Amino acid sequence: MSNLSPAPHSRSFPLVEPGRTVATAEASTSGSPSKARTDRRSKATKGISLAGLRVPVPLPRDVDTAFSIPITVSGEPGLQIIMCELIMKQMPSETITRMVDNANKCIDDFVGGKRLCVHRGYFPSQRGSEIYVSTKTPPEPGFTVAHLLTHIIRKQYDGWIKSYSRIKAKTKLMDVVGPGEVAPPDAEVCYDNIYVVAIRRSTGADGRVRWFPQLEVRFQ
């Protein structure tokens, strides 16, 4: 039996049924809306309040739809990544260990004692520029949700700085979640708006299993 098979661990983590989580975070498609469509969306959404809005970031096309490790804080879905130390020197992050439910859950059986390919959640505007690099060594025994999430959020922070130069920078909402009808096309988001709601993995069809976050943009 493969170490990466989720079935034996369904009692440890409520693994997602196919299409359940992905239904609100489907893989992104290429292409951009026409100017006419953008103009119509702008008129239709003009004056709409963003307060309370939650928008999923599309997942990669090769996401394993049967696997998910939900990230919850005090029973509520999602960890606001700005809550973590911007430069996390500890492994795992003390903040993640303290805040995230089941952070100390051992996931050795999932990672299989192999080098991990962990990457950030790429936004639709960044697709095509992905870089996947495996860790130098396999994780030590006792690898937990907190360890994996610390790796992921480090990647997310580094990616934000690389893309936008500073942590307080803003970018267009549609660059982060793709074109849609949910908000004005000129709406902006910053690092504070990004939440991790689950840890996901790829199907491994290309010969390598990748681990990455399922992200959500939230407006207070």
Side-chain angles (χ1 to χ4, degrees), residues 13 20-21 36 48 58 86 112 129 140 158 183 199 203:
F13 294 107
R20 195 86 170 269
T21 298
I48 293 178
L86 295 183
S129 62
E140 296 288 336
D158 290 344
I199 295 174
T203 59

Side-chain angles (χ1 to χ4, degrees), residues 13-23 64-70 198 200 214:
F13 294 107
L15 302 182
V16 175
E17 297 173 8
R20 195 86 170 269
T21 298
V22 182
D64 182 348
T65 59
F67 180 90
S68 175
I69 299 177
R200 307 300 295 267
Q214 179 172 331

Side-chain angles (χ1 to χ4, degrees), residues 13 69 71 79 84 88-98 100-108 111 116-119 135 137-156 199 211-212:
F13 294 107
I69 299 177
I71 300 301
L79 170 68
C84 298
M88 297 184 293
K89 297 181 179 179
Q90 290 184 317
M91 175 57 74
S93 161
E94 181 181 349
T95 300
I96 290 174
T97 302
R98 175 169 44 85
V100 174
D101 302 333
N102 294 318
N104 293 318
K105 193 74 173 179
C106 182
I107 54 174
D108 285 346
V111 299
L116 291 178
C117 183
V118 180
H119 65 82
T135 57
T137 59
E140 296 288 336
F143 195 73
T144 66
V145 170
H147 285 97
L148 184 53
L149 189 55
T150 299
H151 277 297
I152 286 173
I153 292 183
R154 281 178 177 175
K155 297 283 188 180
Q156 203 67 45
I199 295 174
W211 299 83
F212 48 87

